Amino acid sequence: KLYNRAFAMSLEYGVEYSSRHVVRMENNLQSGNLTPAEYHELQQKIAILKSFSQPKTLTAEDDKKIYTHVALHIGLIVAALILILLPADRNSEEDEEPFDTPVIAK
């Protein structure tokens, strides 16, 4: 819930929104008059807001991993579609059931 709100506010007001609120919450942490539960909650909120205020830069290795995953997913989708859409050959002699031909007892 908090991630969604932080994401929406960052989109609406920009990265500065998250940065301002991180500073404000860090000042509240330093005030010292918080219960352990409130302290923990503020630390969690700060961690979430920092993820929006300090975006990660992707390296060439990260790009390579993303492209590899995309290619694998596309391949899996294509393979699944081929298996679903191509009709199976049901009339071949190899697919005979073992009990289709009568067995003559001696």
Side-chain angles (χ1 to χ4, degrees):
K1 185 176 176 180
L2 186 57
Y3 279 105
N4 293 337
R5 179 170 163 75
F7 180 70
M9 293 300 205
S10 292
L11 280 179
E12 187 174 339
Y13 298 111
V15 176
E16 302 82 35
Y17 169 83
S18 297
S19 300
R20 282 194 318 265
H21 283 291
V22 165
V23 170
R24 184 180 59 80
M25 287 183 190
E26 286 176 342
N27 289 338
N28 287 344
L29 279 179
Q30 293 173 358
S31 69
N33 53 357
L34 299 170
T35 66
E38 291 172 334
Y39 186 83
H40 180 69
E41 183 180 349
L42 273 178
Q43 282 183 326
Q44 287 180 330
K45 287 180 180 181
I46 289 171
I48 292 169
L49 287 172
K50 278 185 178 180
S51 68
F52 289 103
S53 66
Q54 301 168 353
K56 180 183 176 189
T57 56
L58 296 178
T59 63
E61 184 65 28
D62 293 333
D63 287 341
K64 183 179 175 183
K65 286 180 184 178
I66 291 170
Y67 293 135
T68 303
H69 285 260
V70 167
L72 288 173
H73 281 85
I74 290 172
L76 286 172
I77 291 170
V78 168
L81 288 174
I82 289 172
L83 289 174
I84 290 170
L85 298 177
L86 288 181
D89 185 19
R90 298 280 181 197
N91 297 330
S92 69
E93 293 177 15
E94 298 170 0
D95 291 341
E96 271 187 32
E97 293 293 323
F99 302 108
D100 282 350
T101 57
V103 177
I104 301 173
K106 294 184 182 181

